[in-house]
Amino acid sequence: MFVLKNAWAALKRHKWRSLLTIIIALLVTFGTMFSTAVIHASDTAYGSGYDAQQPTLDLKLKQSVQSAYDGADSSWSKHYLTWTKYSTYASAAQSANLTFTYTFTEAVPVRQTAKFKAVAGTADQDAGKTGGEFTLRTFYSKEAAAANAQGAFTIVKGKNISYSTSSTDSTSALISETVAKKNNLKVGDTFTIANPTDAKTTVKLKVAGIYRYKDGKAAASTKLAKDNRDNAIFVGYYAFAINGFDSTTGKGWAIPDLQVTFTMDSMSAYKKFVKLINKAKLPSGYEIVSTSLDAYAARIKPLGRLAERLRVVRIVLLAVGGLLLIVLVALSLVGRRGEIATAMLVGVSKTRIAWQFMLEVLIPTVCGFAIGALAGGFGTKPLAHWAAGGYDVAMSASLVWQTIGYGLLACLVLAFIAMFRVVAVRKISVFEPRATTEAKEESK
């Protein structure tokens, strides 16, 4: 109790130095825990996390080709890939024993009719050139619908269409809020569209649901009505096929725009499939893309940038923080020979004095370390979520225990520095006159 009381009294005499020690220990501990957790998360995301992806694979027109798109020129459909071409790649993958699943979307322009009008474009042309004012699109699965190129959508009225391959629903369709309001349609109403190459061939559909794009953005102005995403009509695959839109013999705009998405079971399978496609010759103007890998890379990019900064910050923090703590400990020992001498003269053992000096170091450093460790343990996840663009960084148990181990070791090292100050005092020098002692020390 005597030792603790003396140590506490010494800390109170130098409260600003004690407070500064607590703050530095806190910052070093928290900063180390936070930076290490983020760096570990980044290394995992770019390493094993990336390798564990099940990538999607799409064949897309290069931007240089897509920029030449003319929605009033039906010869543009020559760029569409057919089932035959996709089957060539799928067969190659199967021959190589690659495991994959697939889904697809198909789309064709369709014409508006007298009682069902599209949102007009800024420079619409005759449907004989454009194929129509609406785009009829089908999704083979929920996954294909979720990856809709025009944007993810949600049903605000009614119900979704069925994506089941066993569905025989030939009339249910989804229309946008904008089109529903323009045509004064509600769930359960029917509307009529016409074939892209034959205005006399019509199809009657029923409004099963009304959708809205999740991003909440108003549709951008387009030259042609069919390119306005609000003019998209979504139907199940059976409805698309049974009504004659999944044509293999159509011409011009009657040829469906087929987009098949393959999902590989591993990164190695993805890389092999890419090689097989290139070997089988990729169509001119096309490139291989992976929407899922691009999305994953975009998601972890803020984390990677943060981790790169923190790698430097961690080194600086440990070096500067450690040096400052050593300096503060050294300052707490300067000019205390007389205090040590007095204590020894009244019979206090060097062991008790050493314990006092060690406690003077341990109390503020352990206190700062404990607060920093708690702040790091509970604050890393929300802070990283904010700083890393929404990426969740977990504080692992191993990192917590590692921090506790190294933190306590650092506190003990600083305490031993204080202890050695007492041990270094020779008992005989305590009883010598100060001037004599100083002369001896100067002559050494």
Side-chain angles (χ1 to χ4, degrees), residues 240-279:
F240 191 86
I242 200 68
N243 288 305
F245 296 110
D246 188 17
S247 174
T248 57
T249 59
K251 295 181 180 180
W253 292 122
I255 299 174
D257 182 6
L258 173 65
Q259 294 288 332
V260 177
T261 297
F262 298 95
T263 300
M264 313 308 295
D265 68 343
S266 66
M267 279 299 301
S268 61
Y270 170 79
K271 293 175 181 178
K272 290 178 182 178
F273 196 16
V274 169
K275 290 181 179 179
L276 289 172
I277 292 175
N278 287 324
K279 186 177 180 180

Side-chain angles (χ1 to χ4, degrees), residues 350-374:
K350 291 180 72 173
T351 302
R352 297 183 72 181
I353 301 172
W355 271 114
Q356 176 189 326
F357 276 47
M358 291 180 73
L359 284 175
E360 290 177 20
V361 174
L362 286 173
I363 290 173
T365 54
V366 171
C367 182
F369 164 73
I371 297 172
L374 286 172

Side-chain angles (χ1 to χ4, degrees), residues 131-142:
E133 297 77 18
F134 289 98
T135 296
L136 186 69
R137 186 176 298 277
T138 182
F139 304 109
Y140 184 66
S141 65
K142 290 181 180 180

Side-chain angles (χ1 to χ4, degrees), residues 23-239:
I23 293 173
I24 293 174
L26 187 158
L27 292 176
V28 171
T29 304
F30 175 79
T32 302
M33 288 185 72
F34 177 73
S35 59
T36 302
V38 170
I39 292 169
H40 177 72
S42 177
D43 291 343
T44 300
Y46 281 93
S48 59
Y50 183 83
D51 293 336
Q53 296 297 302
Q54 295 182 321
T56 59
L57 185 150
D58 294 279
L59 305 181
K60 298 285 187 181
L61 278 173
K62 295 178 180 178
Q63 187 56 42
S64 58
V65 178
Q66 187 61 44
S67 61
Y69 166 75
D70 183 357
D73 181 5
S74 61
S75 66
W76 178 260
S77 60
K78 68 185 179 182
H79 293 292
Y80 296 165
L81 296 181
T82 63
W83 278 112
T84 301
K85 195 65 177 176
Y86 279 113
S87 295
T88 300
Y89 303 136
S91 297
Q94 290 172 336
S95 298
N97 296 319
L98 299 183
T99 303
F100 65 89
T101 58
Y102 75 93
T103 189
F104 63 86
T105 67
E106 285 187 280
V108 292
V110 291
R111 302 179 186 225
Q112 64 184 12
T113 54
K115 295 183 179 181
F116 184 58
K117 300 294 185 180
V119 178
T122 58
D124 279 325
Q125 298 190 44
D126 184 82
K129 291 184 178 181
T130 65
E133 297 77 18
F134 289 98
T135 296
L136 186 69
R137 186 176 298 277
T138 182
F139 304 109
Y140 184 66
S141 65
K142 290 181 180 180
E143 291 74 19
N148 179 34
Q150 284 69 42
F153 60 89
T154 185
I155 308 301
V156 293
K157 291 182 182 179
K159 62 180 182 179
N160 206 344
I161 54 178
S162 173
Y163 300 109
S164 172
T165 55
S166 61
S167 172
T168 56
D169 186 347
S170 62
T171 60
S172 293
L174 302 177
I175 60 174
S176 69
E177 277 186 312
T178 306
V179 169
K181 290 177 181 178
K182 181 177 178 64
N183 293 277
N184 196 27
L185 292 174
K186 60 183 182 298
V187 174
D189 289 346
T190 59
F191 61 93
T192 303
I193 55 175
N195 188 279
T197 56
D198 182 6
K200 294 181 179 180
T201 302
T202 60
V203 174
K204 184 175 287 187
L205 299 174
K206 182 176 68 175
V207 180
I210 297 173
Y211 70 85
R212 176 193 302 157
Y213 290 102
K214 291 183 178 180
D215 58 20
K217 297 178 181 178
S221 298
T222 56
K223 289 184 178 181
L224 300 179
K226 68 175 183 179
D227 295 326
N228 185 326
R229 68 175 186 169
D230 281 340
N231 287 330
I233 303 168
F234 304 142
V235 296
Y237 178 67
Y238 182 81

